[in-house]
Amino acid sequence: MKNIVISGYYGQLNTGDEAILRVLIDKLREYEREENEDLNIVVLSSRPELTSKLYNVDSVNRKKIWRVVKSIKKCDIFISGGGSLFQNETSNRSLYYYLFQIFVAKLFGKKVFIFSQGIGPIKKWYNILIFKHIIKLADYITVRDYDSFDLLHRLKLKKRVDLSADPAFLLNPCCEKRVEKLLEKYNIDFNKKTIGIVVRKWKKEKDMADKIAQIADILIENEGYNVVFIPFQGKWDIIKINEIISKMKNKPYILSENFQPHELLGVFRNFDLIVGMRLHSLIFAAIMNTRFIGISYDPKIDSFLKMYGLKPAGYVDSFDINNVLINIQYMLSETKMLKKIEQTTQNMVQKAEKSFEILKEALNSIKKKKSINVLDVRVDCVNFYKAKEKCIEFLATSSPHIVFTPNVEMIMLSQKDEKFKKVLNSSDLNIPDGIGVVWASKYFGEKLFERVTGFDMMMSLMPELEKKGCRVFLLGAKPGIAEKAKENLLKQFKNLEICGVYHGYFSEEENDTVVEIINSSKADVLFVAMGMKKQEEWIYKNKKKLKCKLIMGVGGSLDVLSGEVKRAPVMFQRLGLEWFYRLITQPWRFKRMLALPKFVLVVLKTRIFGGR
Ligand code: UDP
């Protein structure tokens, strides 16, 4: 599993940045499929929960520096992705923040990719100096416009820099049917010429709101056009739009702030022209072959327009109403304009692909194992997020998939029991349950990312199972315990379908009846909690008869769920000392736990004297 951290201005509800992230993730997923690789993607975001949900990735709060550093430490490649991260027009803090991340990544010896960025403006000589010396540590640098390319060239980085284009050029619009649905409630008559206006708040804007209001009024009153305001960054743009509208005599349309990037892109198809302040409104127009004019607030707008052979219709602090109107009319009437936009965009799309070709090379150069053998027991190189993703994938299949959770005790037991070793190695997924396995992993070819306990995995699957309407069967523990566990689970997950429970002390003769009970309950998921070895061997023996999609051995989880046994406090879990808590609360486990020091000795012996 290759670990990737992506940093950018994500989770801020900015359509442009989210479009970049969408393309990046889609392309990485494509890579996974084509190369049959597992990628663990962590996105640094201001709204990690939302980012995680939208893109189906792991996400870390970008403001929690310690967590950011920890994620970078664990990654294989750090992507400083898209947008204009290296500038101090907005603040020095953000420039230093993004440079700090690169510094940390290099400190830990990670590969760093400055991905399709727009560079500058950077004010003050010392900031340029700091920027230069950190940026040249990067292993791969691509920029999205010629001006950024030129700037890096002038800085004499002595480093290969590739000219690419904004990743958003590769975004696919939603289908026309979806666009129709999205626009239904606005009742816009698209038989009339329709002008989209995209504005943003900017510190040097002066009387911009008054002027845009006048332009919009003239377009509606004198020309009979539709004017539609399009927010590109949620409520921040809506505030500006409302200010403009309060100054207007006519009533324009305002689109919702909740469109996803590919939806907004699809909507752009319906416009005759876009008056854009935000860079990605111009990029979206270009992709959809819609005419556009730009009002510049930042050199990146000038750079973009230059690539289309255009100039800004004005600057945010000084534009002239008449000049903007002349530009609109010129653009609308120029017959060759659409052809020109189309050709340049084709070129931009090719350039945008360049960054992804280099990314593919970078990923291919990282050699990672899919699984390792810890004392001859296969452990899959997955972290929590990837393990969960795989379990969910198993749910979509028709044949049973087995998940085991090898820990130190199981591995040690298997040293004396070849049959048990065979059973453990027969699963579809072996997740590293326990800090001991994670510790040992570095001696067996690859340091594992983190421990993934069976109980945590089972619990994290519950909301998914509830959402998907999957049927769950709980098998194991003393009579009455599984019922209690069911009760407690239903308190937490009201709509979870627990289609059956059965204790784990049935005889050999009863076995077929138990299998029959499970099958007739039509369970999709079977959690088997009969303790290590017994549960794995039972699953192995019965897997051909069972009709569930996911079967997982979960040890003493039903005891914990029922409240019979208390799980170690979170602090113990975080420190990897769950075993110690168990030892003090259940001292009779002492003998079993001797496996841990024995394991350490065997691992070290293997490392020193070789042999495996
Ligand atoms: N158990 C069971 N059937 C058996 C033996 C044990 O259902 O024949 C149950 C037992 O009641 C307990 C769980 O298996 O709920 C074992 O818990 P433990 O914490 O020891 O799990 P382990 O550490 O072995 O995975």
Side-chain angles (χ1 to χ4, degrees):
M1 188 179 67
K2 297 174 181 174
N3 297 297
I4 302 171
V5 170
I6 304 176
S7 165
Y9 188 67
Y10 303 128
Q12 299 274 13
L13 312 177
N14 179 302
T15 305
D17 293 288
E18 297 302 316
I20 291 174
L21 184 58
R22 167 56 66 208
V23 174
L24 250 165
I25 307 265
D26 286 352
K27 285 280 183 185
L28 288 171
R29 296 290 180 224
E30 202 176 295
Y31 173 85
E32 266 186 321
R33 284 190 300 274
E34 279 173 7
E35 307 285 320
N36 191 23
E37 282 278 4
D38 275 340
L39 300 180
N40 175 50
I41 306 170
V42 180
V43 177
L44 308 181
S45 161
S46 353
R47 289 184 176 75
E49 273 170 29
L50 180 74
T51 301
S52 184
K53 205 170 132 203
L54 280 176
Y55 303 96
N56 207 6
V57 292
D58 203 355
S59 183
V60 162
N61 190 333
R62 69 202 283 267
K63 290 187 205 113
K64 303 230 160 110
I65 298 297
W66 186 237
R67 293 209 57 205
V68 169
V69 171
K70 253 173 88 180
S71 313
I72 295 176
K73 188 169 172 237
K74 286 179 176 177
C75 79
D76 299 302
I77 181 161
F78 176 77
I79 302 177
S80 186
S84 303
L85 306 183
F86 302 114
Q87 45 85 22
N88 54 1
E89 192 62 40
T90 36
S91 75
N92 274 332
R93 241 179 50 196
S94 100
L95 173 69
Y96 297 155
Y97 174 74
Y98 291 117
L99 288 175
F100 165 77
Q101 292 179 335
I102 290 172
F103 183 72
V104 170
K106 287 318 292 179
L107 204 64
F108 290 131
K110 308 298 173 184
K111 281 192 195 299
V112 169
F113 197 151
I114 310 287
F115 195 87
S116 271
Q117 296 230 16
I119 313 280
I122 302 174
K123 288 182 288 190
K124 297 271 185 331
W125 64 268
Y126 51 84
N127 285 326
I128 297 176
L129 211 62
I130 298 171
F131 167 73
K132 175 182 166 174
H133 285 287
I134 294 185
I135 208 82
K136 72 179 190 193
L137 299 174
D139 302 84
Y140 309 91
I141 306 175
T142 58
V143 288
R144 68 175 172 191
D145 55 54
Y146 190 76
D147 289 339
S148 304
F149 184 78
D150 189 46
L151 180 91
L152 293 187
H153 182 71
R154 277 187 283 119
L155 284 180
K156 296 193 173 57
L157 288 187
K158 293 193 189 112
K159 190 116 229 165
R160 178 178 157 182
V161 176
D162 282 276
L163 178 61
S164 183
D166 196 289
F169 272 105
L170 302 175
L171 186 70
N172 291 316
C174 68
C175 65
E176 283 189 44
K177 262 215 166 106
R178 177 90 190 119
V179 172
E180 251 174 55
K181 184 107 199 84
L182 290 167
L183 293 177
E184 206 173 63
K185 66 172 182 185
Y186 299 99
N187 269 325
I188 305 170
D189 174 11
F190 284 107
N191 291 319
K192 284 207 249 171
K193 275 219 162 20
T194 305
I195 312 292
I197 301 185
V198 179
V199 287
R200 65 160 298 165
K201 187 169 166 268
W202 190 244
K203 50 189 180 204
K204 299 175 199 153
E205 64 187 38
K206 274 197 190 156
D207 45 3
M208 176 191 93
D210 295 279
K211 291 197 225 166
I212 297 281
Q214 284 183 53
I215 291 169
D217 271 331
I218 293 172
L219 292 175
I220 297 172
E221 253 171 44
N222 299 9
E223 309 292 343
Y225 296 168
N226 294 318
V227 167
V228 184
F229 282 93
I230 313 164
F232 254 64
Q233 192 170 3
K235 62 172 192 274
W236 294 275
D237 284 5
I238 291 278
I239 294 172
K240 193 85 238 162
I241 291 170
N242 284 337
E243 186 195 332
I244 295 170
I245 289 177
S246 71
K247 295 170 191 284
M248 283 177 65
K249 287 184 253 146
N250 299 279
K251 214 171 165 293
Y253 299 94
I254 317 174
L255 293 190
S256 150
E257 60 192 79
N258 295 323
F259 286 175
Q260 286 302 308
H262 67 292
E263 293 175 336
L264 205 47
L265 180 61
V267 165
F268 266 53
R269 198 185 276 129
N270 292 32
F271 292 95
D272 293 285
L273 181 134
I274 296 293
V275 178
M277 265 184 82
R278 286 194 178 275
L279 175 64
H280 284 89
S281 66
L282 304 178
I283 294 180
F284 278 21
I287 300 172
M288 299 313 287
N289 208 16
T290 297
R291 297 159 203 263
F292 56 84
I293 65 162
I295 296 178
S296 177
Y297 69 96
D298 186 285
K300 67 184 175 190
I301 305 292
D302 302 52
S303 296
F304 175 82
L305 292 169
K306 197 156 80 184
M307 292 188 288
Y308 279 81
L310 299 169
K311 280 193 174 137
Y315 289 85
V316 66
D317 51 349
S318 61
F319 68 91
D320 175 66
I321 296 175
N322 283 327
N323 199 30
V324 171
L325 288 167
I326 289 168
N327 265 276
I328 293 175
Q329 291 311 342
Y330 169 74
M331 274 294 183
L332 285 173
S333 59
E334 177 62 52
T335 45
K336 290 191 187 124
M337 191 48 70
L338 288 182
K339 192 85 211 135
K340 197 170 156 194
I341 293 176
E342 196 184 343
Q343 277 168 355
T344 311
T345 303
Q346 269 171 13
N347 184 16
M348 300 301 263
V349 167
Q350 271 173 18
K351 276 194 187 143
E353 291 281 7
K354 176 91 189 159
S355 286
F356 288 99
E357 281 160 24
I358 298 173
L359 179 59
K360 199 169 157 184
E361 268 170 43
L363 289 171
N364 284 341
S365 73
I366 301 167
K367 299 286 171 234
K368 297 286 278 193
K369 294 197 160 139
K370 291 195 169 168
S371 65
I372 51 170
N373 285 330
V374 178
L375 303 179
D376 294 334
V377 172
R378 195 194 84 246
V379 179
D380 291 300
C381 301
V382 287
N383 66 348
F384 194 88
Y385 200 86
K386 202 74 208 174
K388 183 174 165 190
E389 203 178 283
K390 286 201 174 270
C391 289
I392 293 169
E393 273 171 30
F394 293 158
L395 289 172
T397 58
S398 50
S399 57
H401 282 79
I402 314 294
V403 180
F404 291 150
T405 61
N407 60 18
V408 167
E409 282 178 77
M410 288 173 169
I411 294 173
M412 284 314 280
L413 212 63
S414 75
Q415 302 306 296
K416 290 184 245 137
D417 187 340
E418 281 302 315
K419 194 181 149 235
F420 183 45
K421 198 184 276 173
K422 190 175 151 206
V423 169
L424 283 178
N425 286 331
S426 71
S427 73
D428 296 285
L429 178 67
N430 273 353
I431 60 179
D433 185 345
I435 203 69
V437 182
V438 174
W439 166 78
S441 62
K442 60 176 180 277
Y443 300 126
F444 295 95
E446 188 151 328
K447 176 91 176 80
L448 288 169
F449 202 82
E450 61 191 355
R451 77 190 182 122
V452 185
T453 71
F455 182 80
D456 289 333
M457 185 48 55
M458 170 179 166
M459 292 312 286
S460 83
L461 284 173
M462 291 303 177
E464 299 292 332
L465 300 176
E466 184 184 34
K467 204 165 73 195
K468 289 184 184 315
C470 291
R471 296 164 74 82
V472 177
F473 198 106
L474 307 175
L475 174 69
K478 295 201 184 93
I481 299 289
E483 281 85 353
K484 261 201 211 160
K486 175 180 170 177
E487 252 174 58
N488 290 342
L489 268 176
L490 288 177
K491 278 183 202 153
Q492 231 180 312
F493 308 99
K494 291 196 176 49
N495 299 317
L496 185 66
E497 264 205 73
I498 304 182
C499 58
V501 296
Y502 206 88
H503 65 81
Y505 290 85
F506 50 88
S507 64
E508 191 57 45
E509 292 72 49
E510 286 173 274
N511 191 64
D512 283 350
T513 319
V514 174
V515 170
E516 185 44 38
I517 292 173
I518 297 167
N519 282 341
S520 56
S521 77
K522 295 206 164 45
D524 299 297
V525 182
L526 173 63
F527 291 113
V528 187
M530 301 200 293
M532 64 155 183
K533 194 162 184 297
K534 184 166 181 184
Q535 66 200 13
E536 286 79 19
E537 289 179 346
W538 184 87
I539 294 172
Y540 182 75
K541 197 176 108 197
N542 294 288
K543 96 177 166 193
K544 287 212 174 88
K545 291 185 247 166
L546 288 162
K547 292 189 181 127
C548 318
K549 293 170 187 161
L550 172 65
I551 308 173
M552 187 170 165
V554 290
S557 296
L558 295 186
D559 292 341
V560 178
L561 264 174
S562 68
E564 278 295 294
V565 170
K566 269 213 161 60
R567 191 149 183 227
V570 177
M571 204 181 72
F572 281 76
Q573 292 177 35
R574 283 215 183 119
L575 293 171
L577 292 174
E578 204 164 359
W579 60 272
F580 181 67
Y581 179 84
R582 279 189 129 186
L583 183 65
I584 44 179
T585 51
Q586 301 169 316
W588 61 88
R589 296 178 82 99
F590 172 72
K591 236 179 131 186
R592 269 180 68 173
M593 285 190 178
L594 281 179
L596 189 63
K598 279 188 200 157
F599 176 76
V600 172
L601 285 176
V602 178
V603 169
L604 292 178
K605 205 174 106 200
T606 315
R607 177 169 162 77
I608 296 165
F609 302 110
R612 280 175 208 268

